[in-house]
Amino acid sequence: MAEQGNTTAEPSLAAFEQALRTRVQQGDALACYQIVEHFERKAFAPNQLEAQNRINLLQEASNKGIGAASLLLGQWYLTGHYVPKNPAQAILFFEHAANVCKESYGFYRLAEMFQMGVEVKAQPEKGLDYLKKAVAMYNPDAMFTYANQLLKHDADKALQLLKENYKRHQHSQSLVLMNDAQQLNQDKVLQFLIAHAGQDALISALLAARYVQQQQFEQALPLADFAAKQHHPVGCYVRALLEFEREGGDAEVGHQFMLQAAQSGHIEAAYRVGLTLLTQAQQQTDQAIEANLLQHALQFVAQAAQAGFAPAQFTLGQCWLQGVGVEQNQQEGMAWIERAAQQGHIDAMFTLALNLPMEHAQHVPLLQAAAQAGHHKAMICMGIYCQNHAQPERAIEWFEHAKARGDMRAHYMLGMAYLEGTGVAADSKQAVELFNAAGEAGDMDAYFALYQAYRDGKGVRKNKKSQAKYLKLAQDGKHPEALKVAE
C-alpha cells in the first residue's frame, strides 16, 4: 500500500511542477513567485546558475506587482541568501512591497528593522512610523506588536487593537495577551469574553480557565466542554483541569483530556502528560512496561522542551544527566538546563551554577540570581560564599532568607554563626535552639553540634544522657567527626 501511495504522489508532484513551469513560460507573475517558493521549500539552489534563475524569477514577479516576491527578495538581501548582504537594497524591496504592491508586511518588516536595529542603526521613531503604516493596513502582526507597545501608556487603545485583531484575523496571540495583560481593564476584557463565549472555542476556553481559577466549576464546565468538543487544545487542557480540581472529578477522564490537549499541541499539557508517564514508569516492576512508559514520557517532555517551555527543558536536562529513559549524557543534559536557565528557571540556574567551576565567571551570578528568585539552597550557597569572602553580615542575611522559607540547613548555619559570633553577637543559647530545629529535620551536623553543646555546657547545662543521645544520632548518620569519637 505504501509503495502504491508513493507512485501516486510522484506523478502528481511532477504534474504540479510542470503546470507551474508552463504558467511561468506564459508570463504568469504569480507563478514566477510560486515556483521559486516551491523549490526553495524543497532545497536550496544546487548551483549559482539555479540561484540566479530564482532571483530573476522573483524580480520579474516583483516588477509585476507580486508583493510576496518583493518581500522574499528583501529578506534575501537582508540575510545574504544567494545575493551579497545589502540592507539598503532590502529596504527598497520592502518599500516596493508596501507602497507599490500594497503588501502590509513590507511596512512591518521595515518597522522590525528600524525598531530593533536589524542590519541598520536603530531608529525607534522611524520604526514606529512604519509600524503605524502597517497597522493602518490591518496587518495582524503589526496590530499585535503595536498593542503590546501601547500597554504601558495607552491601555484603552491597546485593548481596542487587540479586540479588532482577533475579530478580523482570529489572531490568537492577541486574545491571549488581552486575557493575560494586567495593564488592561480586566472588567472590559471579561465582558468581551462573556459576550463571545459559546461561539468561539478559544474565548470559551479562556473564560472557563478564569472560572476554574476562581473555583467556579459549574460556570466553567459548559464552556470547557464546548471548547473541547471543537478539539481546541486549550479547551481540552482546561477540561482536564476541571476533572483534577473539582469535587467528584474523574482523574482518568482528566488524563484523557490532558493527553488530547498534548496531542493537539498544547505545550504545558504535553509537559504534564510527560511527568505523569515518568511517575508511572518509576512505579513499574516490569522493565518492558517501564521502558515503554519512559519512551512516551520523553517524547512529550521533549515536545514541550523544544517549544521553549522552561520547566520541560529542565526536566529533559535532568533525564539526560541521570540517564532516565536515555543513555546518560552530561553535555546534552547541561545544554537543556542552560536553555531553561536562560529563561529564568530557578532550579536550572542553581543546577547550572553547581555544574560550573567556582572560578567560572557565571558561577556566582547564577547562584545569586537563583537566590534572589527564591531558591533556598542557592541562598545557603550565597551565605557560605559571603562567609568565605569576609562578608559575615551579608551571609547572615542570606541564611535568614533561607530560614524564612523553611530551609532547615539555614537553621544550622545560623546556629554556627551565633555560636561563633560571626556576623552576629555570640549567643550560645540561641545557637542551641537553632541546632534543635535543624536536628529535628535530621541534620547530622546539627546532631553533632548538639552533642558538643551538651558535652561542653554551651547554651545548655552539661548532660551526659543528651550528649550520648546526639552523638549516637550523628554516628548513625555517618557523621565523619562523630565517628571519630569513642564514648
Side-chain angles (χ1 to χ4, degrees):
M1 291 294 291
E3 291 180 4
Q4 183 179 356
N6 287 337
T7 55
T8 302
E10 288 172 8
S12 175
L13 178 61
F16 169 75
E17 291 175 352
Q18 184 55 48
L20 270 180
R21 291 190 181 94
T22 300
R23 288 170 56 204
V24 168
Q25 291 169 355
Q26 293 170 347
D28 187 320
L30 181 58
C32 291
Y33 164 73
Q34 289 174 332
I35 198 168
V36 172
E37 197 265 345
H38 170 71
F39 282 103
E40 276 290 297
R41 280 204 313 270
K42 289 181 70 174
F44 287 163
N47 52 57
Q48 185 58 41
L49 182 64
E50 174 58 21
Q52 188 60 52
N53 181 53
R54 294 184 187 184
I55 294 167
N56 293 342
L57 286 167
L58 285 183
Q59 286 177 333
E60 182 178 349
S62 174
N63 291 338
K64 293 181 178 179
I66 304 300
S70 301
L71 288 175
L72 189 52
L73 278 170
Q75 191 61 31
W76 286 5
Y77 277 103
L78 199 60
T79 60
H81 183 61
Y82 299 148
V83 293
K85 186 182 288 188
N86 188 335
Q89 193 67 32
I91 290 170
L92 290 176
F93 276 111
F94 290 148
E95 287 182 338
H96 183 270
N99 292 317
V100 177
C101 306
K102 306 304 178 187
E103 171 54 70
S104 64
Y105 273 101
F107 286 136
Y108 183 65
R109 296 288 175 243
L110 289 165
E112 286 182 317
M113 285 182 69
F114 286 101
Q115 285 197 321
M116 299 168 62
V118 178
E119 300 297 338
V120 293
K121 182 181 178 181
Q123 298 180 51
E125 289 302 318
K126 187 171 185 177
L128 182 58
D129 287 341
Y130 281 125
L131 186 62
K132 288 179 179 178
K133 289 180 179 179
V135 169
M137 297 174 74
Y138 300 108
N139 180 278
D141 289 334
M143 293 171 76
F144 174 75
T145 301
Y146 188 39
N148 223 332
Q149 294 177 11
L150 286 171
L151 282 177
K152 291 181 181 179
H153 54 86
D154 195 344
D156 287 341
K157 187 172 182 180
L159 179 57
Q160 286 306 118
L161 268 175
L162 293 170
K163 283 182 182 179
E164 187 169 8
N165 206 19
Y166 191 70
K167 288 178 181 178
R168 279 179 175 270
H169 306 295
Q170 292 293 290
H171 194 269
S172 58
Q173 284 180 288
S174 291
L175 185 63
V176 171
L177 178 60
M178 187 172 22
N179 185 66
D180 295 344
Q182 292 306 305
Q183 300 96 322
L184 299 177
N185 184 323
Q186 285 299 313
D187 287 337
K188 291 183 179 179
V189 173
L190 182 58
Q191 290 171 12
F192 177 82
L193 295 178
I194 291 172
H196 296 86
Q199 308 162 26
D200 181 287
L202 179 55
I203 289 177
S204 298
L206 292 177
L207 183 57
R210 286 183 173 228
Y211 287 140
V212 169
Q213 289 173 351
Q214 297 162 6
Q215 304 287 296
Q216 295 176 290
F217 301 126
E218 288 186 11
Q219 292 93 324
L221 183 58
L223 293 166
D225 264 337
F226 170 77
K229 286 175 182 175
Q230 304 297 314
H231 304 291
H232 197 284
V234 180
C236 294
Y237 177 71
V238 177
R239 188 64 183 79
L241 294 183
L242 268 169
E243 295 299 333
F244 295 146
E245 296 185 22
R246 66 176 175 155
E247 187 177 350
D250 188 326
E252 185 56 38
V253 172
H255 288 308
Q256 290 302 314
F257 275 116
M258 193 65 74
L259 179 60
Q260 190 176 343
Q263 291 170 336
S264 300
H266 192 284
I267 301 309
E268 191 168 344
Y271 178 57
R272 290 183 63 148
V273 169
L275 288 185
T276 299
L277 292 172
L278 281 173
T279 301
Q280 291 175 357
Q282 291 169 355
Q283 298 168 348
Q284 291 299 321
T285 55
D286 186 306
Q287 289 187 346
I289 296 175
E290 179 187 10
N292 185 54
L293 286 170
L294 284 174
Q295 180 185 358
H296 285 91
L298 287 178
Q299 286 174 351
F300 283 110
V301 172
Q303 174 187 332
Q306 288 161 359
F309 192 54
Q313 292 173 336
F314 177 70
T315 299
L316 186 58
Q318 293 283 45
C319 288
W320 280 107
L321 289 179
Q322 298 168 24
V324 177
V326 290
E327 187 175 343
Q328 195 170 15
N329 187 319
Q330 176 84 7
Q331 184 176 356
E332 184 72 16
M334 290 312 302
W336 280 110
I337 286 172
E338 185 172 359
R339 292 186 196 183
Q342 288 170 349
Q343 295 195 65
H345 189 282
I346 62 172
D347 288 328
M349 289 191 289
F350 180 68
T351 303
L352 183 57
L354 292 188
N355 280 273
L356 291 173
M358 291 187 67
E359 63 275 10
H360 193 284
Q362 288 302 309
H363 176 76
V364 174
L366 280 166
L367 273 181
Q368 187 168 350
Q372 289 171 338
H375 196 289
H376 56 87
K377 286 186 172 60
M379 292 173 184
I380 297 293
C381 291
M382 283 304 300
I384 294 170
Y385 173 83
C386 290
Q387 282 183 331
N388 294 337
H389 290 78
Q391 302 173 46
E393 292 83 5
R394 184 65 179 137
I396 294 298
E397 291 177 14
W398 281 120
F399 294 147
E400 288 286 3
H401 286 316
K403 176 174 168 284
R405 284 165 174 76
D407 190 292
M408 288 297 113
R409 186 64 180 172
H411 287 72
Y412 169 75
M413 298 303 296
L414 282 168
M416 291 303 297
Y418 277 102
L419 187 68
E420 298 167 357
T422 307
V424 289
D427 186 338
S428 55
K429 185 177 180 181
Q430 177 70 9
V432 169
E433 289 180 7
L434 288 160
F435 290 149
N436 272 318
E440 287 174 4
D443 190 296
M444 296 301 130
D445 288 327
Y447 287 149
F448 189 68
L450 286 167
Y451 151 72
Q452 292 175 314
Y454 281 103
R455 181 195 66 188
D456 301 334
K458 286 188 176 181
V460 289
R461 291 182 180 180
K462 290 184 179 182
N463 186 314
K464 288 190 175 182
K465 186 176 180 180
S466 295
Q467 173 186 332
K469 168 189 170 183
Y470 286 113
L471 178 61
K472 185 176 188 308
L473 285 169
Q475 289 176 334
D476 289 346
K478 308 299 181 186
H479 188 279
E481 293 301 314
L483 293 173
K484 296 176 183 177
V485 179
E487 288 194 6

